[in-house]
């Protein structure tokens, strides 16, 4: 026997028999009915089973001693016809009735039909506010609503007053939301109009292991997630669709895959599906396309069931360029790559496109992806995940040394600010490798390689600043400076032998400073021309090393020995592409006539390489990036005839030595700029010195030597070699140059 409490219905507890509503019109009122002769002046609310509240009505069609329910009410109360229930007055637990600020109802059909019904939420809200004004819904309680001929059943799933409650009064000020009942053919447009709680409240970038990408995350949120925070009705009024796809691109190791994987951890939604591009491909016909369709099956089922109220489904494609190359570019006869692209396009933005998906693609080669996939409506948000700046590098270092600090295994002398400055052009992965290398050096101090069976004593082990310094030498950035190449070019220092060389050096510094500081000159290219051995390569190398730019690269013809023309062009394009990924870059193109395979016999040269160099030399870097190009040539007349000179912003000359310049070198009145290499391998300091004077037997021999040397049109490189070869020791053991020996050397060398 059920015990009921009815407010305003009964003066005291009584027993009544359960019966059905006399007719459908009374059943749709959602009231329970009694006979007026049993209880005169019946009105009020009834609280049943201490769970549900019903409005009480009177009808002469109800038998004496009975309480009439509709079918839905009997089902939710688990009552059968003829059951006896006990009823008594009901009182609110508090002094005042609880008024619902918001209520959510699950919408279904009273009688199952195979036909899909689509209704507008605003119209259903008007019906509910008019019919529910006198009712007090409880969680799990159902109501029948006649919606323009369709009998809907609405089940209360959420009630909110000051907080979530189980019972509350619905008024005209109550916000009403709707969700789709499971397996229901009813679809309510704009039903779940609540603001979406897309992000988890406790997510933190640093705890997720992501640093240096604040701006990138801001762009991702603004373009891909901001619209999903707002109610569906607001987006519908704007007439826009949610972003369905984004592309993360950039150099390897910058955190693209990490971002995509961690996005799922900061969202309140389905677990993201992560798939590598090559995993989609299958040797069987049609299986690759089937693999793509399988990725979207859950999202399709959810959208069919819940419409715009369905959860967000994230699909992550790592190395998406493996399956989405330009259509028609594949040399295979199967055409699998093209059909996979077509299948992916149809799923993201086809006729039956979904609005509850977010496809995230990641690649190092954006240029390889089919253009149709990159347009709006598909992977329309393109976010470059570039190399971190100094602040970003500091954040990454903080993340990867956090465990060391917590366990007190990081020495107090470790300066992360200094490391952030020294790790220019390091990617996030390379900074992680730097921390691993430093830890390896610390571990190495506690291992005795002569006795590997000896117990390792880890007490007192800490990672010191010296470990990080050694790690800087071991872990080199892929987009950094080729230190060995430049050290070779500047072997012995750079000799400023006269006013002409000083002017060329000052002009080069002026161009370099212009690139570094001016927003109006993101690209400057300087051609350094002169006869062989006049210091062209050394001048270019000195300007590059002194710049302090994070990306400095030397490109020489010997780097591409054995390459085909196409391979050379691709290698050159990659150098410039890498330079464009850094904020400040210097590229030194040494001996460009050899690079284009010029030969005076014919004459012959590679037009493909020439055109490639001309295009790359004039290619302006992306916004926010700056590039200085220093090229050297010993065949200026060839460069002019090939019309390559016009690609450069300026031309500097390093002519052969004059008599005065030779005299200055012999007398030691020149400045020699030597490069000092630090323990971490970087060129961080420069100092100037002077060459020692060259001794002759007499002043007359010196003047005669200058006359002979000037007549040979020598460069500084060959002059220094000749002077070194002509030296002999006198009776006192000092180095001296004899005119006879100098003449012999000139005859043999020049």
């Amino acid at each position: 026997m059920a015990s009921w409490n009815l407010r305003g219905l009964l003066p005291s507890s009584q027993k009544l028999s359960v019966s059905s509503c006399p007719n459908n019109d009374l059943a749709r009122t959602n009231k329970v009915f009694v006979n007026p002769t049993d209880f005169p002046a019946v009105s009020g609310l009834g609280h049943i089973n201490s769970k549900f509240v019903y409005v009480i009505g009177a009808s002469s069609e109800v038998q004496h001693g009975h309480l009439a329910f509709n079918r839905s009410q009997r089902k939710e109360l688990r009552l059968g016809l003829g059951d006896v229930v006990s009823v008594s007055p009901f009182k609110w637990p508090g002094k005042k009735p609880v008024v619902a600020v918001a209520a959510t109802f699950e919408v279904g059909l009273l009688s199952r039909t195979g036909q899909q019904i689509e209704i507008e939420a605003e119209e259903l809200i008007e019906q509910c506010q008019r019919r529910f004004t006198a009712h007090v819904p409880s969680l799990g309680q159902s109501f029948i609503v006649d919606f323009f001929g369709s009998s809907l059943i609405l089940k209360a799933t959420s009630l909110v007053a000051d907080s979530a409650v189980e019972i509350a009064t619905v008024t005209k000020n109550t916000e009403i939301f709707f969700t789709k009942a499971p397996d229901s053919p009813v679809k309510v447009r704009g039903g779940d109009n609540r603001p979406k709680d897309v992000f988890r409240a406790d997510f933190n970038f640093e705890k997720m292991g992501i640093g240096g990408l604040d701006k990138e995350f801001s762009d991702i949120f603004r373009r891909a997630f901001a619209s999903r925070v707002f109610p569906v009705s607001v987006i519908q009024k704007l007439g826009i669709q949610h972003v369905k796809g984004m592309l993360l691109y950039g150099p390897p190791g910058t955190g693209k895959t990490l971002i995509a994987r961690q996005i799922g951890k900061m969202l309140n939604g389905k677990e993201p599906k992560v798939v590598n591009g090559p995993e989609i491909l299958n040797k069987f016909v049609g299986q690759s396309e089937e693999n793509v369709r399988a990725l979207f099956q859950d999202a399709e089922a959810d959208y069919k069931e819940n419409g715009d109220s369905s959860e967000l489904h994230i699909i992550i494609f790592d190395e998406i360029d493996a399956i989405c190359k330009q259509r028609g570019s594949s040399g295979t006869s199967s055409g699998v790559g093209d059909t996979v692209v077509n299948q992916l396009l149809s799923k993201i933005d086809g006729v039956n496109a979904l609005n509850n998906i977010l496809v995230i693609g990641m690649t190092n080669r954006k240029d390889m992806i089919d253009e149709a996939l990159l347009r709006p409506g598909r992977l329309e948000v393109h976010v470059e995940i570039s190399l971190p700046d100094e602040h970003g590098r500091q954040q990454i270092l903080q993340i990867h040394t956090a465990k060391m600090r917590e366990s007190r295994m990081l020495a107090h002398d470790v300066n992360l600010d200094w490391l952030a400055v020294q790790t220019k052009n390091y990617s996030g992965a390379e900074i992680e490798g730097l921390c691993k290398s430093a830890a390896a050096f610390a571990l190495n101090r506690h291992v005795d390689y002569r006795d590997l069976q000896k117990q390792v004593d880890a007490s007192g082990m800490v990672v010191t600043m010296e470990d990080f310094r050694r790690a800087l030498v071991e872990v080199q950035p892929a987009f950094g400076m080729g230190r060995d190449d430049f050290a070779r070019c500047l072997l012995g220092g750079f000799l400023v032998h006269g006013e002409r060389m000083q002017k060329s050096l000052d002009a080069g510094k002026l161009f370099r400073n212009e690139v570094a500081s001016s927003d109006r000159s993101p690209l400057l290219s300087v051609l350094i021309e002169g006869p062989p051995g006049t210091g062209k390569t050394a001048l270019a190398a000195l300007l590059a090393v002194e710049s302090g730019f994070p990306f400095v690269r030397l490109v020489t013809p010997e780097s591409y020995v054995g390459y085909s023309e196409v391979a050379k062009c691709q290698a050159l394009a990659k150098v410039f592409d890498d330079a464009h990924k850094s904020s400040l870059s210097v590229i030194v193109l040494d001996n460009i006539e050899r690079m284009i395979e010029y030969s005076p016999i014919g004459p012959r040269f590679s037009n493909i390489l020439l055109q490639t160099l001309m295009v790359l030399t004039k290619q302006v870097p992306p916004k926010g990036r700056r590039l200085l190009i220093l090229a050297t040539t010993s065949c200026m007349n060839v460069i002019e005839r090939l019309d390559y000179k016009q690609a450069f912003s300026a031309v500097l000359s390093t002519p052969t030595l004059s008599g005065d310049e030779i005299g200055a070198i012999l007398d030691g009145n020149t400045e020699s700029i030597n490069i000092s290499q630090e323990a971490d391998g970087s060129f961080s300091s420069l100092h100037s010195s002077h060459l020692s004077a060259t001794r002759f037997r007499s002043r007359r021999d010196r003047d005669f030597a200058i006359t002979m040397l000037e007549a040979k049109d020598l460069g500084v490189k060959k002059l220094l070699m000749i002077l070194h070869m002509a030296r002999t020791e006198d009776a006192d053991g000092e180095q001296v140059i004899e005119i006879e020996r100098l003449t012999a050397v000139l005859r043999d060398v020049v």
Side-chain angles (χ1 to χ4, degrees), residues 112-390:
R112 294 293 181 97
T113 63
Q115 186 177 4
Q116 181 84 17
I117 299 176
E118 190 168 315
I119 59 181
E120 291 288 344
E122 292 184 2
E123 295 177 347
L124 185 57
I125 288 173
E126 291 178 4
Q127 293 277 346
C128 293
Q129 287 178 337
R130 185 167 63 250
R131 296 174 184 270
F132 290 174
T133 300
H135 290 272
V136 181
S138 301
L139 290 182
Q141 185 175 354
S142 299
F143 298 88
I144 298 173
V145 176
D146 182 15
F147 186 78
F148 304 120
S150 298
S151 294
L152 304 179
I153 184 163
L154 275 61
K155 183 178 180 180
T157 58
S158 174
L159 296 168
V160 179
D162 294 336
S163 59
V165 295
E166 293 188 359
I167 183 172
T169 301
V170 174
T171 67
K172 291 184 178 181
N173 296 324
T174 302
E175 284 193 83
I176 299 178
F177 307 106
F178 302 104
T179 59
K180 184 175 176 291
D183 302 324
S184 171
V186 179
K187 184 177 180 181
V188 184
R189 290 201 301 266
D192 193 357
N193 197 33
R194 292 167 295 182
K196 301 292 184 181
D197 189 12
V198 177
F199 294 95
R200 296 181 181 179
D202 59 344
F203 85 91
N204 179 279
F205 290 155
E206 291 195 6
K207 289 182 180 179
M208 292 163 60
I210 300 175
L213 296 171
D214 297 342
K215 180 182 180 300
E216 288 79 1
F217 260 102
S218 176
D219 292 340
I220 290 172
F221 174 81
R222 177 177 58 83
R223 295 295 306 278
F225 296 110
S227 64
R228 299 181 186 274
V229 175
F230 289 90
V232 176
S233 62
V234 175
I235 304 303
Q236 289 176 344
K237 289 176 182 178
L238 289 172
I240 62 175
Q241 294 283 334
H242 295 305
V243 168
K244 299 176 184 176
M246 72 170 72
L247 181 70
L248 307 180
Y249 67 97
T254 51
K256 300 182 296 297
T257 304
L258 178 63
I259 287 176
R261 288 178 177 172
Q262 299 293 7
I263 278 177
K265 295 183 180 180
M266 69 181 187
L267 296 178
N268 286 320
K270 298 288 186 180
E271 186 72 20
K273 294 182 179 179
V274 182
V275 59
N276 288 321
E279 293 177 359
I280 295 294
L281 302 178
N282 194 288
K283 64 179 181 179
F284 296 107
V285 176
Q287 188 60 50
S288 300
E289 295 85 337
E290 175 63 27
N291 292 339
V292 174
R293 290 193 292 272
L295 295 172
F296 292 83
Q297 283 180 353
D298 292 342
E300 289 174 340
D302 191 9
Y303 194 74
K304 184 178 180 181
E305 181 76 16
N306 300 308
D308 291 334
S309 300
S310 62
E311 291 189 78
L312 177 63
H313 293 253
I314 299 177
I315 303 172
I316 299 171
F317 287 93
D318 200 5
E319 305 296 341
I320 194 173
D321 52 280
I323 61 171
C324 293
K325 290 184 173 67
Q326 293 281 351
R327 285 173 288 184
S329 63
S330 175
T332 61
S333 59
S334 63
V336 173
D338 294 356
T339 56
V340 169
V341 175
N342 294 335
Q343 182 69 79
L344 191 58
L345 289 174
S346 66
K347 284 297 179 183
I348 299 176
D349 192 32
V351 176
N352 298 318
L354 305 173
N355 202 30
N356 63 336
I357 60 169
L358 179 63
V359 178
I360 303 176
M362 293 167 291
T363 180
N364 303 329
R365 297 292 306 275
K366 180 183 176 184
D367 57 296
M368 294 178 62
I369 298 178
D370 191 273
E371 293 180 356
L373 197 64
L374 302 179
R375 73 163 179 79
R378 283 121 187 216
L379 301 185
E380 61 181 279
V381 178
H382 305 161
V383 180
E384 182 180 7
I385 310 300
S386 57
L387 297 171
D389 57 13
E390 184 177 329

Side-chain angles (χ1 to χ4, degrees), residues 62 70 101 116 138 235 313 348 363 365 392 394 408 483 518 555 573 603 606 608 658 675 708:
V62 178
N70 63 31
V101 177
Q116 181 84 17
S138 301
I235 304 303
H313 293 253
I348 299 176
T363 180
R365 297 292 306 275
Q394 189 178 36
R408 297 183 179 179
R483 292 166 178 161
S518 176
V555 181
S606 170
I608 295 176
S658 66
I675 306 301
M708 282 196 304

Side-chain angles (χ1 to χ4, degrees), residues 421-456:
V421 174
Q422 297 303 312
T423 51
K424 293 178 181 177
N425 270 30
Y426 277 69
S427 66
E430 287 164 344
I431 293 176
E432 181 183 6
L434 178 76
C435 296
K436 289 179 181 178
S437 176
F441 281 117
L443 292 170
N444 184 64
R445 291 197 299 272
H446 293 261
V447 176
D448 186 0
Y449 289 100
R450 293 171 296 181
D451 184 8
L452 295 178
Q453 301 300 321
K454 183 179 179 181
Q455 184 70 28
V456 177

Side-chain angles (χ1 to χ4, degrees), residues 474-491:
E474 185 173 76
V475 180
Q476 298 293 324
F479 300 98
M481 176 185 290
R483 292 166 178 161
D484 294 338
D485 294 335
F486 284 100
R488 188 175 66 252
C489 293
L490 292 167
L491 188 64

Side-chain angles (χ1 to χ4, degrees), residues 206-207 209 395-411 416 432 435 439 461-463 468:
E206 291 195 6
K207 289 182 180 179
Q395 286 184 342
I396 298 171
L397 285 165
Q398 290 280 357
I399 290 169
H400 292 299
T401 58
K403 290 290 184 182
M404 299 179 189
R405 285 194 303 275
E406 290 175 7
S407 55
R408 297 183 179 179
M409 299 184 75
L410 188 68
L416 297 185
E432 181 183 6
C435 296
M461 185 179 69
V462 293
V463 182
F468 277 100

Side-chain angles (χ1 to χ4, degrees), residues 508-576:
K509 290 180 179 180
L510 186 64
F511 290 121
R512 185 185 64 199
N513 296 337
E514 175 69 13
V515 172
S517 59
S518 176
D519 295 332
R520 306 182 68 177
S521 304
L523 173 66
L524 278 179
S525 52
V526 180
L527 179 62
I528 304 174
E529 65 88 18
T534 54
K536 303 181 298 298
T537 303
L539 175 60
L542 179 66
L543 291 172
V545 167
E546 280 190 321
S547 68
F549 289 6
F551 183 94
V552 181
R553 190 60 50 86
L554 175 64
V555 181
T556 59
E558 56 263 31
S559 304
Y560 305 131
V561 172
Y563 282 44
S564 65
E565 286 184 327
V566 174
K568 284 184 180 180
C569 292
Q570 291 174 343
L572 286 169
K574 185 179 184 306
V575 170
F576 278 82

